[in-house]
Amino acid sequence: MTILSFDFLRPLLLLCVLFAVGGITAHQIVYSRSWHQPLDVVVYPINADKSIDTHNYINTLSSDTFTEINDWFTAEARRHKAAIPQPVHVSLGKRVKSVPPPLPVDQGVLRTIMWSLQLRYWVFRNTPDDDSNLRRVRVFVAYYQGDDDKPLAHSVGLQRGLIGVVNAFGHSEQTKQNNIVITHEILHTVGASDKYNFFGGPDFPHGYANPHRQPLHPQRYAEIMVGRIPTSPYSSYMATSLKSVRMNALTASEIAWYD
Ligand SMILES: [Zn+2]
């Protein structure tokens, strides 16, 4: 007779994980947003569709692939007069063999909490090095070849645990756009919020890089927490690289760049 089934144990295990990670989380949030020194970000690539093309694409990645993310943060810190000259340092980590648990389709509160604990347990099991995670952001990028007409699952960035999960196309022409998504998720981990409107476009004024521009449209830049450049109140297009993306004052204040 089995008294303790796995179904019974699973919530208990998750509860244990919850208590164990609670203390770490508080530390992580304080340190990651203090901006006394550059925030380390490690990008772990995953061959999510197990294809040879994705494998070959991952072989082309190096820490240099993400230098433009460092440069973008440095330029934005200067524009916003943040105290730290170089806010982040992104490097390429080792490959990860397993894929993270998928975000639940039904995003009820309880399901989302369970998923976030599962994800954090997965991250604990699958981080391929032993460095301290108190002050670094771990971004797991699941690369796919994908179908042209099928969008990939959403990417997420969690402030609790300083964890990002990015779903991306493993094509060289996509690398610059992937860097926008990675930057967006890094910013979620340090407290920035999404700035989409109901239709998934830029919310005015918060989702605009320059809401005071005259005339307002077309905008020259996308705000990083939307990633789309508004051309009219009802239309916008995806930015293709960080060159056409900026951070507005609201996002800068959310990540504690102002005193
Ligand atoms: Zn987002």
Side-chain angles (χ1 to χ4, degrees), residues 13-48:
L13 278 172
L14 281 170
L15 210 61
C16 293
V17 175
L18 181 68
F19 282 116
V21 297
I24 298 172
T25 301
H27 256 78
Q28 283 174 324
I29 291 178
V30 171
Y31 280 115
S32 65
R33 289 158 52 86
S34 66
W35 302 113
H36 290 316
Q37 52 178 300
L39 186 65
D40 269 324
V41 178
V42 184
V43 173
Y44 299 104
I46 302 167
N47 181 350

Side-chain angles (χ1 to χ4, degrees), residues 43-118:
V43 173
Y44 299 104
I46 302 167
N47 181 350
D49 59 6
K50 306 264 184 283
S51 73
I52 187 75
D53 288 342
T54 303
H55 174 86
N56 291 339
Y57 173 76
I58 291 173
N59 276 346
T60 69
L61 301 176
S62 70
S63 290
D64 289 347
T65 309
F66 311 108
T67 304
E68 62 182 29
I69 299 179
N70 299 338
D71 295 345
W72 182 85
F73 270 98
T74 299
E76 290 304 297
R78 200 180 310 129
R79 253 178 14 87
H80 287 285
K81 300 187 171 57
I84 183 153
Q86 195 203 327
V88 305
H89 178 260
V90 187
S91 59
L92 180 68
K94 291 180 183 162
R95 286 178 191 235
V96 169
K97 297 247 166 15
S98 129
V99 289
L103 194 67
V105 183
D106 157 29
Q107 293 182 13
V109 176
L110 198 63
R111 262 179 211 280
T112 306
I113 292 173
M114 292 290 276
W115 168 82
S116 106
L117 287 174
Q118 282 172 340

